[in-house]
Amino acid sequence: MNTYEELQARGLIAQVTDEELIKNLINKGEAVFYIGFDPTADSLHVGHFMALCLMKRLQMAGNKPIALLGGGTGMIGDPSGKTDMRQMMSKETIAHNIECFKKQMSKFIDFSEGKALMVNNADWLMDLNYIELLREVGPHFSVNRMLTAECYKQRMERGLSFLEFNYMIMQCYDFLRLYEDYGCNLQFGGDDQWSNMLAGTELIRRKLGKDASAMTITLLLNSEGKKMGKTVKGAVWLDPEKTSPYEFYQYWRNVDDADVIKFLKMLTFLPLEEIEAMEAWEGSELNRAKEILGYELTKLVHGEEEAGKAQEASRQIFANGGISGDIPTTAYPKSELEQGKDILTLLVDTKLAQSRGEARRLIQQGGVSVNGKKITEIDTDFTTADLNEDGVLLIKKGKKAFHQIKIEEA
């Protein structure tokens, strides 16, 4: 099976400008393609994960990826998928976030000589002369047409700032520069970027008389049509300091039965034949498929050793009720724990609840246990005397969320 056909079989392709042209480029290893990443945080998250996996797949097939870091567009903010204007970031914050992105991307993409590029659009956007830009690209954009774009529609009722209105122009200009400077002939992006990407190919055609292509990636949605990558604690990050390898593993281990095969196809590098054989699995076999999903994705992000530790920690907890140092942990000074901590404080400190009100509701609904005992009173206190034989308090929220409390090492 050729590369493009495999992308189709895995359910990764949403929309394309010219399927035959793109298919030939990819299958022959002649695509020089880019995906943009705006540095809106100091870590990539699950929302970026599929794009990184796609870049890795295409590079393995001989194509050349360009990771475009949005040092310039990050100063404006993409309105796509947003109901409110993004908070503006300082140059210093953007520069810091970019450095974090670079380290994480290098785990997926080989940036050695000639194999891939990492480019920052601040290199050209920050020095643009406004009048020159208006004269160079302004005549090629219809305001009426821009306002029909999906990325702007949802913002019109709440108010679309002129700052954000310029984002499409900046993204199109990026594609033009990448085409001219690096021979970039293909842009990838999320399905919500389609309008911006089409406008980029049109700008290249009008300015250079050349054909460039665009392809959108299927958005990562669960069986209910909701975007993946969020938990009650917030985003699922690729940085182990923000989302531990165990938490990352558990996120995928706990997907719905209806989603596990789809995510194995879209995100792992297991052979399709192996995944298709799992489609007949039922009951406990589906749990095995979820373990495979969690392990494979954790290995991609955090390495084989961390994936193995996360899997073993999960098995200990679910199968044996055991304790592992690889599950999320909060440590208190011994003197502080000796004085006692109420259960509401513990739930908030461990981020199993976002507030004391939420923690109270969890307890009243019977959703919290400590060391295997259900908590029914919101004023229950715990001290060092309550630590189990392993020296921890194991808090369980619902059926799948665990966190352990222990004494801080001196």
Side-chain angles (χ1 to χ4, degrees):
M1 185 183 295
N2 289 327
T3 305
Y4 185 85
E5 285 73 17
E6 181 173 352
L7 298 181
Q8 284 182 311
R10 288 182 178 272
L12 292 169
I13 300 175
Q15 299 183 83
V16 295
T17 49
D18 184 328
E19 185 170 47
E20 284 305 310
L21 176 60
I22 293 172
K23 183 190 297 184
N24 287 331
L25 283 174
I26 289 174
N27 287 343
K28 292 178 179 178
E30 295 175 353
V32 180
F33 67 96
Y34 95 90
I35 298 180
F37 299 84
D38 275 352
T40 53
D42 58 0
S43 171
L44 296 163
H45 53 70
V46 163
H48 300 112
F49 190 49
M50 191 155 61
L52 292 168
C53 290
L54 179 66
M55 296 176 87
K56 181 180 177 72
R57 289 183 204 280
L58 292 177
Q59 186 180 52
M60 289 167 63
N63 299 284
K64 185 175 181 179
I66 300 175
L68 180 66
L69 299 170
T73 43
M75 298 287 289
I76 297 175
D78 183 2
S80 300
K82 299 294 175 184
T83 55
D84 294 297
M85 181 174 165
R86 292 181 189 268
Q87 186 174 352
M88 294 179 67
M89 298 182 294
S90 68
K91 291 182 180 179
E92 292 74 20
T93 298
I94 290 173
H96 170 72
N97 292 350
I98 282 176
E99 288 306 309
C100 295
F101 278 24
K102 286 179 178 178
K103 294 176 184 176
Q104 292 176 338
M105 286 180 179
S106 296
K107 293 182 179 180
F108 293 83
I109 304 163
D110 180 2
F111 286 103
S112 58
E113 187 67 31
K115 293 189 176 180
L117 291 170
M118 190 177 289
V119 182
N120 187 341
N121 64 15
D123 293 344
W124 53 81
L125 292 180
M126 298 297 284
D127 295 327
L128 280 175
N129 177 288
Y130 188 58
I131 298 298
E132 289 179 2
L133 177 67
L134 288 177
R135 288 177 60 86
E136 184 176 357
V137 305
H140 304 296
F141 285 86
S142 161
V143 171
N144 289 351
R145 187 173 178 183
M146 289 173 72
L147 290 175
T148 64
E150 198 61 40
C151 60
Y152 292 144
K153 276 183 182 178
Q154 57 194 315
R155 289 296 309 280
M156 294 302 290
E157 290 183 11
R158 298 285 295 272
L160 175 71
S161 72
F162 181 70
L163 179 74
E164 296 170 291
F165 184 65
N166 280 270
Y167 190 90
M168 178 185 286
I169 297 172
M170 297 295 96
Q171 185 171 333
C172 294
Y173 190 77
D174 283 345
F175 199 179
L176 177 67
R177 285 297 301 262
L178 291 172
Y179 188 100
E180 290 181 308
D181 297 350
Y182 304 106
C184 179
N185 50 28
L186 180 59
Q187 180 183 178
F188 286 101
D191 207 25
D192 53 352
Q193 294 288 318
W194 184 239
S195 299
N196 291 351
M197 295 163 68
L198 284 180
T201 62
E202 181 67 8
L203 180 62
I204 290 171
R205 187 186 67 78
R206 287 172 174 265
K207 289 289 296 179
L208 306 177
K210 303 290 186 180
D211 289 325
S213 302
M215 184 179 102
T216 58
I217 313 163
T218 307
L219 293 176
L220 194 61
L221 305 175
N222 64 17
S223 55
E224 298 175 349
K226 296 178 181 178
K227 274 190 177 184
M228 295 293 290
K230 291 285 186 180
T231 69
V232 293
K233 294 168 65 175
V236 180
W237 303 98
L238 305 193
D239 182 345
E241 297 299 318
K242 296 168 80 74
T243 299
S244 72
Y246 173 82
E247 291 172 308
F248 189 84
Y249 173 90
Q250 282 298 116
Y251 178 78
W252 298 106
R253 169 64 179 80
N254 293 330
V255 300
D256 289 341
D257 291 355
D259 293 320
V260 62
I261 298 300
K262 178 175 73 173
F263 294 156
L264 280 165
K265 287 181 178 180
M266 294 175 79
L267 297 172
T268 76
F269 287 79
L270 295 174
L272 272 172
E273 298 78 16
E274 187 176 329
I275 299 170
E276 287 166 355
M278 298 181 199
E279 291 179 350
W281 290 7
E282 297 178 351
S284 60
E285 287 183 319
L286 267 181
N287 287 329
R288 171 61 182 148
K290 292 179 184 181
E291 284 192 339
I292 293 170
L293 176 67
Y295 178 82
E296 290 295 326
L297 299 190
T298 307
K299 181 173 71 172
L300 273 173
V301 176
H302 299 295
E304 193 167 357
E305 182 179 354
E306 290 297 333
K309 286 160 63 176
Q311 186 175 67
E312 182 58 30
S314 178
R315 286 174 175 173
Q316 284 183 22
I317 289 172
F318 285 101
N320 308 314
I323 306 300
S324 169
D326 296 311
I327 71 170
T329 302
T330 296
Y332 292 105
K334 185 177 181 181
S335 59
E336 190 175 332
L337 199 55
E338 282 177 337
Q339 295 173 14
K341 291 279 185 183
D342 65 88
I343 186 61
L344 299 183
T345 297
L346 292 177
L347 288 169
V348 173
D349 285 356
T350 57
K351 297 183 180 178
L352 289 171
Q354 295 300 298
S355 65
R356 293 178 71 85
E358 182 186 340
R360 187 178 293 108
R361 287 191 295 274
L362 284 170
I363 293 168
Q364 291 170 341
Q365 293 165 4
V368 177
S369 64
V370 177
N371 287 345
K373 182 179 179 181
K374 183 171 288 189
I375 305 302
T376 58
E377 302 295 332
I378 61 173
D379 57 355
T380 305
D381 285 336
F382 294 92
T383 70
T384 51
D386 296 302
L387 299 178
N388 65 15
E389 59 186 19
D390 294 302
V392 303
L393 294 172
L394 182 64
I395 305 177
K396 179 182 178 184
K397 184 186 79 170
K399 295 181 179 179
K400 301 175 180 178
F402 292 85
H403 201 105
Q404 61 184 9
I405 303 293
K406 66 178 184 178
I407 295 172
E408 192 172 77
E409 295 180 5

